[in-house]
């Protein structure tokens, strides 16, 4: 097994960090790794905000579902789907008037563009995760940055056609500390050959057998099994509703309307 594969297979989400700052050399390497990530059409439709300010980290730890460990990370990286720069490039080079001369209209980015920009941002983020891990720097993905659209827009000074897709916490491992790896579903339920495989009830019950062991009879939802508990914890949760609201606001902005 080579070093890269070993790094990937041992990596888990780190939520406890050594107090020392991430060195400039290590952070520079991590960010260079982000920028070498694959990108649709070589457009690099993403941006990364490096957050070290204690006050901003504190605010993000609260706005991202009240997770105190976020503010203890030496560095936060916010990954943005970003077409603002490309649209400024179009504007400064008279693209709108050019399209009008052709008898066509100039339109804003579409939902499909948001999906592609999201792919760019997430691929860059995963490059960061692996590069950081190889340097002894742990990380944790924070999807809650997609929530509170208006608040994060103001806090991070985000213009039109820019949306926060994910955030990473970064910090060195505490001495002698390692992350216990969580179980994954068996490969047969995730990796398919040639086409999608739809599962029977028997298959699904086998797939979720270990998850069902997590069920606690006495629970706040009065659920009868883990599926019912999980649905209420995730799908019907307040954070899920807020994330849905915020994503819809982003989609309203990235709607391909005539400009």
């Amino acid at each position: 097994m080579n070093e890269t594969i070993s790094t990937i297979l041992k990596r888990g989400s780190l939520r406890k960090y050594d107090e020392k700052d991430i060195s400039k050399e290590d952070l520079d390497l991590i960010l260079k790794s982000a920028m070498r990530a694959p990108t649709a059409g070589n457009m690099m439709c993403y941006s990364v905000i490096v957050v070290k300010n204690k006050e901003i980290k504190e605010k993000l730890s609260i706005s991202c579902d009240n997770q105190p460990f976020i503010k203890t990370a030496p560095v936060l990286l916010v990954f943005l789907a970003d077409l603002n720069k490309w649209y400024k490039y179009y504007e400064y080079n008279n693209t709108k008037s050019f399209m009008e001369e052709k008898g066509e209209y100039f339109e804003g980015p579409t939902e499909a563009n948001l999906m592609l920009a999201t792919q760019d941002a997430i691929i860059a983020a995963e490059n960061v995760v692996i590069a950081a891990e190889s340097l002894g720097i742990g990380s944790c993905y924070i999807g809650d940055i997609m929530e509170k659209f208006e608040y994060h827009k103001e806090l991070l000074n985000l213009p039109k056609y820019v949306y926060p897709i994910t955030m990473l916490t970064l910090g060195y491992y505490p001495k002698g500390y390692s992350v216990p790896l969580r179980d994954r579903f068996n490969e047969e339920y995730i990796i398919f050959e040639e086409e999608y495989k739809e599962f029977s009830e028997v298959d699904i019950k086998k797939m979720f057998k270990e998850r069902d062991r997590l069920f606690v009879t006495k629970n706040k939802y009065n659920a009868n099994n883990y599926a019912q508990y999980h649905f209420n914890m995730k799908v019907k949760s307040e954070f899920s509703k807020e994330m849905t609201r915020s994503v819809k606001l982003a989609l309203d902005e990235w709607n391909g309307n005539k400009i």
Side-chain angles (χ1 to χ4, degrees), residues 239-254:
F239 83 80
S240 181
K241 293 176 183 177
E242 169 54 29
M243 190 175 290
T244 298
R245 185 195 72 87
S246 289
V247 169
K248 285 181 177 179
L249 289 177
L251 289 171
D252 286 342
E253 192 171 274
W254 299 57

Side-chain angles (χ1 to χ4, degrees), residues 5 19 22 24 29 36 45 102 116 125 194 238 242 247 255:
I5 299 299
E19 292 182 358
I22 294 176
K24 183 180 184 305
L29 283 172
R36 290 308 309 167
C45 297
K102 293 179 63 177
L116 277 176
E194 309 301 345
E238 289 304 314
E242 169 54 29
V247 169
N255 60 10

Side-chain angles (χ1 to χ4, degrees), residues 96-122:
K96 183 176 181 179
S97 58
F98 172 71
M99 296 307 294
E100 289 172 348
E101 289 170 6
K102 293 179 63 177
E104 301 178 32
Y105 66 86
F106 184 64
E107 62 187 46
T110 65
E111 300 89 343
N113 297 137
L114 177 57
M115 293 287 282
L116 277 176
T118 297
Q119 290 179 21
D120 272 11
I122 292 295

Side-chain angles (χ1 to χ4, degrees), residues 11-12 14 16 18 133 136-138 171-175 177-179:
R11 187 265 166 193
L14 184 67
K16 181 180 179 181
D18 191 284
E133 190 71 27
I137 296 170
Y172 293 107
Y173 281 79
K175 188 175 182 180
Y177 184 81
S178 61
V179 177

Side-chain angles (χ1 to χ4, degrees), residues 150-162:
E150 302 90 340
Y151 177 78
H152 289 141
K153 201 173 182 70
E154 181 177 355
L155 179 67
L156 300 171
N157 192 35
L158 306 181
K160 198 170 185 179
Y161 308 142
V162 177

Side-chain angles (χ1 to χ4, degrees), residues 58-110:
E58 172 81 34
K59 290 179 178 179
L60 287 170
S61 73
I62 295 170
S63 63
C64 292
D65 206 26
N66 293 300
Q67 301 183 79
F69 80 90
I70 292 174
K71 67 183 177 184
T72 69
V75 173
L76 306 179
L77 298 181
V78 182
F79 290 80
L80 312 164
D82 182 2
L83 269 178
N84 176 271
K85 290 171 283 190
W86 274 95
Y87 268 78
K88 284 188 173 179
Y89 176 65
Y90 297 151
E91 176 188 347
Y92 298 154
N93 286 276
N94 304 313
T95 305
K96 183 176 181 179
S97 58
F98 172 71
M99 296 307 294
E100 289 172 348
E101 289 170 6
K102 293 179 63 177
E104 301 178 32
Y105 66 86
F106 184 64
E107 62 187 46
T110 65

Side-chain angles (χ1 to χ4, degrees), residues 17-59:
Y17 312 102
D18 191 284
E19 292 182 358
K20 69 178 179 180
D21 291 335
I22 294 176
S23 71
K24 183 180 184 305
E25 292 76 15
D26 283 350
L27 187 56
D28 285 348
L29 283 172
I30 288 168
L31 294 173
K32 285 179 181 178
S33 298
M35 294 184 66
R36 290 308 309 167
T39 167
N42 199 29
M43 291 176 64
M44 299 183 72
C45 297
Y46 67 93
S47 294
V48 185
I49 298 177
V50 181
V51 179
K52 298 180 183 178
N53 180 277
K54 289 183 179 180
E55 183 179 346
I56 297 177
K57 288 194 293 183
E58 172 81 34
K59 290 179 178 179

